[in-house]
C-alpha cells in the first residue's frame, strides 16, 4: 500500500528490500535492506529499480497505433543478471490470438552481469521472425557513453559494455 503524502511533504521515508536498487531519476545506487529518506515534490514520484532489470522505453505515442521512427531504448540496470521478454503486436487487431498478425514479436533479452553483456534473440514462442527490423538504443545505467544503436533482425545479437 502506497503511503499518503501529507500536504506540503518535502520527503518520504521508503523501505528498499534486500538487493541493489537504483533511483530512477538520477541513477544513484542503494543497497538494501534499508530505510531511506527521499526528497519528493508533486512532479517526482519516488521510484526505484532493482539491479538486473531491463526496461524498454518506447518513444511517446499519442495512441496505440501511432507509428514512430525513433528507436526503443533498452535501459539496463547492472549489478545482477536479468531477463526480460518483449512482446509487441500491431496494437490494432486481435490477430495475435490466431497468429494472423504478421507484426507480432516475442523478443528475449538477457543481461549477463559477469561479462557485462546484453543478448537479444527471438523468444522460443516465435515460430518465424516476421522480417522486420527493430532499432534499439542500449543504455547501461552508470556507464557514461553514447548508447550504441543496434538493428535487431531476428538473429542472436550481443552487445558488450
Amino acid at each position: 500500500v502506497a503511503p499518503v503524502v501529507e500536504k506540503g511533504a518535502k520527503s518520504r521515508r521508503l523501505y528498499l528490500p534486500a538487493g541493489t536498487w537504483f533511483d530512477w531519476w538520477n541513477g544513484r545506487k542503494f543497497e538494501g535492506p534499508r530505510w531511506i529518506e527521499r526528497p519528493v515534490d508533486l512532479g517526482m514520484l519516488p521510484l526505484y529499480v532493482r539491479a538486473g532489470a531491463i526496461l524498454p522505453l518506447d518513444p511517446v505515442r499519442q495512441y496505440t497505433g501511432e507509428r514512430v521512427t525513433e528507436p526503443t531504448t533498452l535501459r539496463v540496470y547492472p549489478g545482477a543478471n536479468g531477463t526480460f521478454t518483449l512482446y509487441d503486436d500491431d496494437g490494432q487487431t486481435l490477430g495475435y490470438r490466431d497468429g494472423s498478425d504478421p507484426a507480432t514479436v516475442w523478443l528475449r533479452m538477457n543481461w549477463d552481469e559477469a561479462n557485462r553483456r546484453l543478448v537479444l534473440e527471438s523468444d522460443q514462442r516465435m515460430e518465424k521472425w516476421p522480417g522486420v527490423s527493430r532499432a534499439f538504443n542500449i543504455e547501461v545505467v552508470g556507464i557514461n557513453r553514447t548508447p550504441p544503436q543496434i538493428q535487431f533482425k531476428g538473429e542472436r545479437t550481443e552487445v558488450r559494455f
Side-chain angles (χ1 to χ4, degrees), residues 29-96:
K29 188 161 76 168
F30 296 86
E31 294 298 326
R34 70 187 262 199
W35 287 93
I36 61 170
E37 192 76 20
R38 173 68 161 93
V40 295
D41 61 35
L42 292 176
M44 190 177 298
L45 174 73
L47 185 59
Y48 292 84
V49 183
R50 187 185 295 271
I54 304 167
L55 299 179
L57 306 170
D58 240 3
V60 174
R61 299 170 192 250
Q62 300 302 316
Y63 55 94
T64 310
E66 180 180 7
R67 300 271 183 228
V68 293
T69 57
E70 298 84 20
T72 298
T73 297
L74 301 178
R75 187 179 293 168
V76 177
Y77 289 83
N81 290 337
T83 300
F84 182 81
T85 302
L86 175 71
Y87 170 81
D88 197 12
D89 62 31
D90 68 7
Q92 303 285 320
T93 69
L94 299 178
Y96 67 91

Side-chain angles (χ1 to χ4, degrees), residues 116-136:
R116 309 286 287 183
R117 176 180 63 195
L118 182 66
V119 176
L120 284 74
E121 56 193 339
S122 295
D123 187 80
Q124 62 189 11
R125 289 169 275 203
M126 289 287 304
E127 293 178 17
K128 178 183 166 212
W129 186 255
V132 297
S133 177
R134 294 285 306 257
F136 294 100

